[in-house]
Amino acid sequence: MKQDTNNAADLVILEAAENLFLEKGFALTSTTEIAKVAGCNQALVHYYFRTKERLFDAVFEKYAGLFISTLVQKTEDDISFEEKVRRKADTLFDLLKTNPRIPFLFFNELNTNPGRLSLLEEKIAGVSAAFMLQMESEIQVEIEKGAIRPMTATDLMFTILSLNLLLFLSAPVLKVMLGMSDTAFQHLIENRKRENITVILKSLRP
Amino acid sequence: MKQDTNNAADLVILEAAENLFLEKGFALTSTTEIAKVAGCNQALVHYYFRTKERLFDAVFEKYAGLFISTLVQKTEDDISFEEKVRRKADTLFDLLKTNPRIPFLFFNELNTNPGRLSLLEEKIAGVSAAFMLQMESEIQVEIEKGAIRPMTATDLMFTILSLNLLLFLSAPVLKVMLGMSDTAFQHLIENRKRENITVILKSLRP
DNA sequence: TGCAATTTTAATAGTACTATTAAATAAACA
DNA sequence: TGTTTATTTAATAGTACTATTAAAATTGCA
């Protein structure tokens, strides 16, 4: 592999693969191209990862872990429910801003390769159940106080996810449609962040 | 082509292609497979459509037209603004319910093949501008009345689209994650329809 | 019926991709 | 240094796919 880097070859390959998968998805990315971007022979990709599938799994698992752990992260205790919701949306938004192409990759691959679902399933099962139960009970308290309207934790999480995910899923379309520069688009993103949080918080109202 | 149908061959091919594209996307669908599903020789696919790309464009344009025209459809005049919003969300939801895989196909292809964007762009340009202006002025009236909070037509449309699109984009994931039967999933969908409309209407509040 | 146009097929050229293998090179180490 | 181990490459087997072509089958119609 290239001598101008002290990274281990497998990491260089992994990074090249990651970028290409994020750009074009699994099907349209070839190991030949990954090798070219990584600056090595195509056989080396297979030497380290055996199959293109395993290489993809490595990328997929990395980000699945990152997203899931962020989503189920417990917020501080000594803040209001509204503030907790705000922070949850905020954290998700920032994670997406740093990894804007991940939703595309996930939806694409989960839709085309149902087998990948089971991989995600086992990863999510334990952690999410605990988190959702906790949230459910907090919501129940708020409802009984009359602070928010009747709803479930699933309802709320789905709203938060929908608003934030779709922004980044549609980013490439929006950029072209609105003929925006990258900085103009950053502004739109920030505006929409505020709008998303507004919608989420208003949606709680009794 | 199969003799047990009186459909023209090109329509049978188009329908087969449509189903496969919706199931697996452009890249993972081969003309060989399309032919097999259509019950004809693979060369016939190329005889009628010349390239796989053109065949895809036919499917893409059909649904782009359907979705765009539904989205910019003017609602009746003699109903309240809130009712207009409700009906817009309602119509979109029903369209998605009838064509649940279209969002996946669109996002997938617009993300992987940026060239397709220009095709969509010209289709959308004229009609959407007029619709959005109309909506913008109606919103302005409501804001001045103090009936709704300050917001733009883009804000509102984005909220409506986010909530409804993501439900169907994530359907395959949800089905597996929640281990649901098809009928149980239909229930979830209908519940979420109500929830979406609730969120949208609450988000208008001053 | 017989001819012309259309539709369908078999065969295949050409390309690209995944994965493997065996050989070459470099690193580790005693 | 010499030998073992790990890394990298060139070569290639094997497969699948798009698109074309020429011939066969079918259809429409004079």
Side-chain angles (χ1 to χ4, degrees):
Chain A
M1 166 126 335
K2 282 293 170 54
Q3 56 279 43
D4 59 9
T5 164
N6 53 1
N7 288 109
D10 58 343
L11 290 185
V12 178
I13 290 169
L14 195 64
E15 201 194 320
E18 189 176 308
N19 290 331
L20 288 167
F21 285 146
L22 286 171
E23 188 187 327
K24 316 193 291 180
F26 180 78
L28 293 177
T29 301
S30 70
T31 54
T32 311
E33 198 180 1
I34 292 171
K36 204 171 67 192
V37 170
C40 71
N41 188 284
Q42 177 261 354
L44 201 60
V45 176
H46 292 273
Y47 171 74
Y48 280 115
F49 296 93
R50 239 184 59 72
T51 68
K52 183 178 152 188
E53 190 77 24
R54 281 171 188 276
L55 180 48
F56 183 85
D57 287 346
V59 176
F60 190 82
E61 284 209 54
K62 168 179 166 187
Y63 287 104
L66 177 61
F67 270 73
I68 291 169
S69 70
T70 302
L71 275 175
V72 304
Q73 207 164 55
K74 213 168 161 300
T75 43
E76 290 167 63
D77 281 333
D78 57 348
I79 53 177
S80 70
F81 179 72
E82 180 176 310
E83 186 56 26
K84 282 182 186 170
V85 171
R86 183 196 300 275
R87 289 196 191 175
K88 184 56 74 183
D90 213 81
T91 310
L92 174 60
F93 186 95
D94 292 342
L95 179 65
L96 286 166
K97 198 178 165 190
T98 317
N99 306 280
R101 299 281 297 173
I102 297 293
F104 152 68
L105 192 62
F106 274 36
F107 280 106
N108 193 352
E109 296 313 319
L110 292 174
N111 267 289
T112 53
N113 186 340
R116 202 104 52 197
L117 270 167
S118 52
L119 208 147
L120 192 62
E121 216 180 348
E122 63 186 49
K123 229 184 168 64
I124 225 173
V127 276
S128 88
F131 170 78
M132 291 303 278
L133 276 177
Q134 166 70 19
M135 193 174 200
E136 202 73 76
S137 77
E138 288 185 44
I139 285 180
Q140 213 48 49
V141 170
E142 298 297 312
I143 294 172
E144 273 156 28
K145 275 200 298 190
I148 68 173
R149 70 182 168 89
M151 64 188 323
T152 66
T154 309
D155 285 335
L156 178 53
M157 281 308 290
F158 206 90
T159 299
I160 294 174
L161 282 167
S162 296
L163 291 168
N164 286 304
L165 284 174
L166 205 86
L167 178 57
F168 291 92
L169 279 172
S170 61
V173 185
L174 287 179
K175 251 186 221 169
V176 173
M177 288 293 180
L178 308 176
M180 280 178 152
S181 71
D182 272 1
T183 54
F185 191 71
Q186 287 307 314
H187 273 228
L188 180 145
I189 292 276
E190 289 302 327
N191 280 339
R192 191 61 207 176
K193 176 180 182 176
R194 245 174 287 130
E195 176 69 17
N196 277 350
I197 290 178
T198 302
V199 171
I200 292 162
L201 294 183
K202 295 238 179 241
S203 85
L204 297 173
R205 299 258 202 90
Chain B
M1 167 130 331
K2 283 293 169 56
Q3 57 278 42
D4 59 9
T5 164
N6 53 1
N7 289 107
D10 58 343
L11 290 185
V12 179
I13 290 169
L14 195 64
E15 201 194 319
E18 190 176 307
N19 290 331
L20 287 167
F21 285 145
L22 286 170
E23 189 187 326
K24 316 192 292 180
F26 180 78
L28 293 177
T29 301
S30 70
T31 53
T32 310
E33 199 181 1
I34 292 170
K36 205 171 65 191
V37 171
C40 71
N41 188 285
Q42 177 260 351
L44 201 61
V45 176
H46 292 273
Y47 171 74
Y48 279 115
F49 295 93
R50 239 184 58 72
T51 68
K52 184 179 151 188
E53 189 79 23
R54 281 170 187 276
L55 180 49
F56 183 84
D57 286 347
V59 176
F60 190 81
E61 284 209 52
K62 169 179 165 188
Y63 286 104
L66 177 62
F67 269 72
I68 292 170
S69 71
T70 301
L71 275 175
V72 304
Q73 207 166 56
K74 213 169 161 297
T75 43
E76 290 167 63
D77 281 332
D78 57 347
I79 52 177
S80 70
F81 179 74
E82 179 176 311
E83 186 57 26
K84 281 181 188 171
V85 172
R86 184 196 299 275
R87 288 195 193 176
K88 183 57 73 185
D90 213 82
T91 310
L92 174 61
F93 185 95
D94 292 342
L95 179 64
L96 285 166
K97 198 177 164 190
T98 318
N99 305 280
R101 298 282 297 173
I102 297 293
F104 152 68
L105 191 62
F106 273 37
F107 279 106
N108 194 353
E109 296 312 319
L110 292 174
N111 266 289
T112 52
N113 185 341
R116 202 103 54 199
L117 270 168
S118 53
L119 209 147
L120 192 62
E121 216 180 349
E122 62 185 50
K123 229 187 168 64
I124 225 174
V127 277
S128 87
F131 170 77
M132 290 304 277
L133 277 177
Q134 167 70 19
M135 194 175 198
E136 203 73 77
S137 77
E138 287 185 46
I139 286 180
Q140 213 47 50
V141 171
E142 297 298 312
I143 293 172
E144 274 157 26
K145 276 199 297 189
I148 69 173
R149 71 182 167 91
M151 64 188 323
T152 67
T154 309
D155 285 335
L156 178 53
M157 282 307 291
F158 205 90
T159 299
I160 295 174
L161 282 166
S162 296
L163 291 168
N164 286 304
L165 284 174
L166 204 88
L167 178 57
F168 291 92
L169 279 172
S170 61
V173 184
L174 287 179
K175 249 185 224 169
V176 173
M177 289 293 179
L178 309 176
M180 280 178 150
S181 70
D182 271 1
T183 54
F185 190 71
Q186 288 306 314
H187 272 227
L188 180 146
I189 292 277
E190 288 303 327
N191 281 338
R192 190 62 206 174
K193 176 179 182 176
R194 245 173 287 131
E195 177 68 18
N196 278 350
I197 290 178
T198 302
V199 171
I200 292 162
L201 293 182
K202 295 238 179 240
S203 84
L204 297 174
R205 301 262 199 88

